[in-house]
Amino acid sequence: MADQSAIDAAKALLDACLRKKLTLATAESCTGGLVAATISEIPGSSAVLDRGFVTYSNEAKQQMLGVTPATIDVYGAVSTECAEEMAKGALAHASVDLAVSITGIAGPTGAVAGKPIGLVYFCAASRSGRVIAHDRKYGDIGRAEVRKQSVLQALGMLRELAEKEEPQPPAGKS
C-alpha cells in the first residue's frame, strides 16, 4: 500500500490526465512497479493507466522496451541514456500519450564506481515529443526510502508533462 503523499500525488496526476484525456504507461526498474501500483490504488485509474513494464534486468529492458545493448554497454543500465530509451520504448510499445521510466540503485548493494547507492535516473516522455529527464542522488537513506522518493519524483514528472499537453480529442475524432 502506498503512503498518503504518494496517493495524493497519484490523484493529482490522474485528475490532470482525465481533464485532458491522456493515458500513460510506466517503465520501472528499481521501483519494481511501485509507480503503476500507486496509480492503480485510485478508483477509476483504469481510464488513464494502460500498463506498466517492470524491467528489472538488462535483458528485460532490451526485450520489452527496445533499450539497445550499446546503451547498456557504454552508459550502463543506470544512466540518463537508458532512462530515456526506456521511456521512449514504453511509448513505442503502448498506445499511450505519456510514459515515465525509472532506473537506479536502491541499495543496500549494487553501487559501482561513479554510481553510488541512491542514484536514480528518471525520464518522462510524451507522444507529442516532450521529454523531461532528471537524476536524483538520494544517498544511502535505505532501500524503501529511495523507492518511495523515486515514486514521488516519477508521479511529479508525469503530472508536469500532463499539464503541458494539449487535451486529446475523443477517440475516433481528429
Side-chain angles (χ1 to χ4, degrees), residues 131-143:
V131 175
I132 302 169
H134 293 296
D135 65 271
R136 294 289 180 259
K137 296 174 184 162
Y138 297 114
D140 194 359
I141 59 175
R143 182 177 184 81

Side-chain angles (χ1 to χ4, degrees), residues 108-131:
T109 61
V112 296
K115 295 184 181 180
I117 292 169
L119 175 63
V120 183
Y121 291 91
F122 304 86
C123 184
S126 70
R127 190 152 308 278
S128 67
R130 289 184 174 87
V131 175

Side-chain angles (χ1 to χ4, degrees), residues 40-76:
S40 67
E41 292 266 347
I42 314 299
S45 59
S46 60
V48 172
L49 179 63
D50 179 70
R51 67 189 73 187
F53 297 93
V54 177
T55 56
Y56 215 65
S57 71
N58 292 348
E59 185 176 284
K61 289 173 183 65
Q62 293 169 28
Q63 290 177 352
M64 295 173 71
L65 299 171
V67 173
T68 65
T71 295
I72 292 172
D73 290 345
V74 173
Y75 303 104

Side-chain angles (χ1 to χ4, degrees), residues 20-115:
K20 296 188 176 190
K21 297 180 175 48
L22 300 170
T23 57
L24 61 88
T26 65
E28 302 180 63
S29 185
C30 66
T31 48
L34 289 175
V35 175
T38 300
I39 294 167
S40 67
E41 292 266 347
I42 314 299
S45 59
S46 60
V48 172
L49 179 63
D50 179 70
R51 67 189 73 187
F53 297 93
V54 177
T55 56
Y56 215 65
S57 71
N58 292 348
E59 185 176 284
K61 289 173 183 65
Q62 293 169 28
Q63 290 177 352
M64 295 173 71
L65 299 171
V67 173
T68 65
T71 295
I72 292 172
D73 290 345
V74 173
Y75 303 104
V78 178
S79 65
T80 298
E81 294 80 5
C82 186
E84 187 168 333
E85 285 189 24
M86 288 171 66
K88 289 180 177 178
L91 286 174
H93 291 88
S95 297
V96 295
D97 304 297
L98 309 173
V100 69
S101 68
I102 304 172
T103 184
I105 304 167
T109 61
V112 296
K115 295 184 181 180

